[in-house]
Amino acid sequence: MITEHGHKVVQAVLLFFSVYMLCGFGVSWRDTLPSGVIKTTTYTLYRTVPPPPEGPRFCTFVTAGTYGAVGPCNFVPPFVWWLEKRYREKNYTITL
């Protein structure tokens, strides 16, 4: 069984991870392909957001070997980008 303090530690870690992902941050890893090209894979909660320049841009903030912590370059969560895009589409639609 887990102790009360262990339970609180698990809750704190899960809360931090949830808020971290909700704010648009995530993890990435790099693979070096046989041709010498480096392929970077980014995993965030917002997997359906299109890549830049149409969608938000992600920057690597911390790296440890082939892994890294990424986040929005302008520190604005991607759901704000999605809401702004949805608002623009609705306001500029002209119906006749």
Side-chain angles (χ1 to χ4, degrees):
M1 285 299 220
I2 191 167
T3 65
E4 183 180 342
H5 294 296
H7 192 250
K8 289 185 183 214
V9 168
V10 170
Q11 286 179 341
V13 168
L14 289 175
L15 177 66
F16 173 76
F17 183 74
S18 299
V19 171
Y20 177 80
M21 294 296 278
L22 186 64
C23 289
F25 293 89
V27 294
S28 69
W29 56 91
R30 293 177 294 178
D31 294 322
T32 303
L33 302 177
S35 63
V37 175
I38 296 175
K39 176 187 171 191
T40 304
T41 305
T42 303
Y43 177 74
T44 67
L45 181 66
Y46 303 95
R47 62 182 175 83
T48 59
V49 173
E54 184 182 337
R57 178 177 230 87
F58 291 94
C59 295
T60 302
F61 296 116
V62 178
T63 58
T66 59
Y67 299 98
V70 298
C73 293
N74 59 357
F75 295 103
V76 176
F79 67 83
V80 173
W81 170 86
W82 180 79
L83 289 172
E84 288 174 346
K85 181 177 181 263
R86 187 171 175 171
Y87 178 75
R88 279 180 278 163
E89 288 174 355
K90 285 189 176 185
N91 278 345
Y92 295 118
T93 304
I94 299 172
T95 56
L96 299 174

